[in-house]
Structures are given as C-alpha cells and as structure tokens.
Amino acid sequence: QVELVESGGGLVQAGASLRLSCAGSGLTFSNYAMGWFRQAPGKEREFVAAISRHAVSTYYADSVKGRFTISRDNAKKTVYLQMNSLKPEDTAVYSCAARPWATATAVREFDYWGQGTQVTVSS
C-alpha cells in the first residue's frame, strides 16, 4: 500500500521560508517521479513543482520559479520543497504526489497523493 505523508507546514510571515517534506512508503521510490501541488480555499488544485526519478530534471510553476526548490533523497524515500520569500498568495494546502516513471505536471497524471500540509503566509 502506497503512502505519502507530508510535514513541515505552518504559519509564517511574508518573506519567511519553510521546507516541506514528503515521506513515501510502500513503493520503490526511485521508480516514481514526484510532484508538489497546492490548493487554496475556493480554488482548484494547481501544480507547483515536479522532479524526475533521479533528480535530473525539475519543473516549476511560473508563480514559484526562483523562490521554491524541489529536491529528493531516494535513499530516504523523501521529496522536499524548499520555499523562500513566501507571499500571502502562497497560502494553501500543499500535497505531494507520485507517478511511475515519467515526470509530469498535470494533476490527473499522478497516481498517488498525500493528505497535505497547511501553509499559511500572513502579510
């Protein structure tokens, strides 16, 4: 049974940093591309960042490019999202997701999802 568990969310002021973690179990982690998505109240879930199986390639939404960094540690079965220079518009529930083999950026292309962690950025 595949399980993804996020951690690291919280309440911070604008300009602060947070690092989210997503630990996987029940899967051969290095066989899966990983992604981070977020959903703000009243809005659809949106792509934030993705990383290929061995971290050769990374992808970012334009809204976070230059501020967020996705990385992974396959030995620890964990993917990270370093978020710097946070803005109030980054407030959302952040979820990690996994899909086998090829990297993707669309919600519908990911097979497994975590429950999410709340990130709130105050102005």
Side-chain angles (χ1 to χ4, degrees):
Q1 179 179 344
V2 176
E3 187 174 20
L4 301 174
V5 179
E6 301 93 340
S7 61
L11 170 64
V12 297
Q13 291 188 330
S17 298
L18 280 175
R19 189 176 84 152
L20 305 183
S21 300
C22 169
S25 61
L27 74 171
T28 303
F29 196 75
S30 60
N31 286 350
Y32 286 77
M34 300 297 296
W36 284 99
F37 295 80
R38 66 187 182 186
Q39 188 168 21
K43 295 187 177 181
E44 292 188 355
R45 182 176 283 173
E46 65 175 4
F47 168 73
V48 175
I51 188 166
S52 60
R53 293 182 295 128
H54 297 286
V56 173
S57 301
T58 57
Y59 305 86
Y60 296 94
D62 288 344
S63 58
V64 307
K65 203 170 292 183
R67 299 188 298 123
F68 290 11
T69 303
I70 188 171
S71 61
R72 65 189 295 162
D73 185 334
N74 286 343
K76 294 183 179 180
K77 296 187 176 182
T78 301
V79 62
Y80 305 97
L81 185 68
Q82 177 67 43
M83 306 186 294
N84 299 330
S85 303
L86 282 161
K87 303 176 181 180
E89 50 263 45
D90 294 319
T91 295
V93 174
Y94 285 71
S95 300
C96 66
R99 74 182 305 267
W101 307 117
T103 314
T105 60
V107 171
R108 65 182 183 277
E109 295 184 279
F110 283 79
D111 298 324
Y112 302 105
W113 292 83
Q115 291 298 309
T117 185
Q118 177 71 46
V119 172
T120 303
V121 184
S122 63
S123 57

